[in-house]
Amino acid sequence: KQEVTQIPAALSVPEGENLVLNCSFTDSAIYNLQWFRQDPGKGLTSLLLIQSSQREQTSGRLNASLDKSSGRSTLYIAASQPGDSATYLCAPKTGANNLFFGTGTRLTVIP
Amino acid sequence: ETGVTQTPRHLVMGMTNKKSLKCEQHLGHNAMYWYKQSAKKPLELMFVYNFKEQTENNSVPSRFSPECPNSSHLFLHLHTLQPEDSALYLCASSQDNYASNSPLHFGNGTRLTVT
């Protein structure tokens, strides 16, 4: 069964700093990997999806990379803002029916 | 404004009650999902429907009963729940379940408390 680990569990940074969130997974036979953000008491918002054949995806200040063979993905956030404060979740898709989630990294950006 | 709408947002029910959670998606997707999110645990997949057919039941107890009358609507019928079933229940949809480039879109969830 796929196991997903996200490090660190919590991160606090001053506004404007660049930061990297890490995700590792045990089964490298994935279809894709998706990054989400979750605000308190809310659902998940999709940020980026990287297909298994891709190395990275970019959207605005966000850049996600994927190293499938080593079972790692990173989410890079440039010039962080207080509005980026949320929990960030990664989810590799293994098989047709399942997206496996980590427990997330809780990010706080201090004004 | 999310393309996936869940009602109610909050629900408190006793262990002997019967209630239903509703999910509706306006994205033209063909796959719909129920996930459970408990405190300090990863999201757990419960059920998957693809083109209205159930394709996954992730060993969920029978006190949870899903229903998918069409590709736009998904229900989760609840009866004789336990306090440990208290959690955030999230509905999601995607274009279909097999495409590798089909992201999941989530609703805001129903916060369920079982007393």
Side-chain angles (χ1 to χ4, degrees), chain B residues 28-67:
Chain B
H29 289 166
N30 295 304
M32 296 187 77
Y33 311 75
W34 280 117
Y35 281 87
K36 176 184 177 182
Q37 187 176 34
S38 304
K40 301 191 188 305
K41 292 173 70 175
L43 269 77
E44 302 170 54
L45 178 67
M46 300 176 71
F47 301 104
V48 181
Y49 279 82
N50 206 36
F51 294 92
K52 301 189 298 178
E53 298 296 320
Q54 187 179 130
T55 57
E56 183 82 17
N57 177 338
N58 200 25
S59 302
V60 179
S62 60
R63 58 186 184 270
F64 295 92
S65 174
E67 180 190 359

Side-chain angles (χ1 to χ4, degrees), chain B residues 73-114:
Chain B
H73 293 86
L74 185 65
F75 296 90
L76 188 62
H77 303 299
L78 316 171
H79 65 98
T80 59
L81 294 192
Q82 306 297 311
E84 60 265 28
D85 296 323
S86 298
L88 182 66
Y89 288 84
L90 292 162
C91 173
S93 70
S94 66
Q95 184 59 45
D96 67 66
N97 197 34
Y98 299 99
S100 65
N101 61 348
S102 179
L104 254 64
H105 296 260
F106 281 83
N108 281 326
T110 294
R111 172 69 63 186
L112 173 67
T113 303
V114 182

Side-chain angles (χ1 to χ4, degrees), chain A residues 8-68:
Chain A
L11 180 64
S12 186
V13 301
E15 182 177 1
E17 193 161 298
N18 302 327
L19 58 102
V20 175
L21 307 181
N22 297 292
C23 170
S24 61
F25 46 95
T26 55
D27 183 352
S28 61
I30 63 172
Y31 284 52
N32 61 46
L33 184 142
Q34 210 167 340
W35 281 94
F36 297 88
R37 70 173 278 169
Q38 185 175 28
D39 294 286
K42 296 287 184 67
L44 279 66
T45 301
S46 178
L47 298 173
L48 290 162
L49 181 149
I50 311 177
Q51 296 186 53
S52 61
S53 59
Q54 297 175 322
R55 298 284 290 184
E56 65 179 81
Q57 278 286 336
T58 298
S59 176
R61 294 181 294 109
L62 304 179
N63 176 276
S65 68
L66 175 64
D67 184 345
K68 197 174 75 158

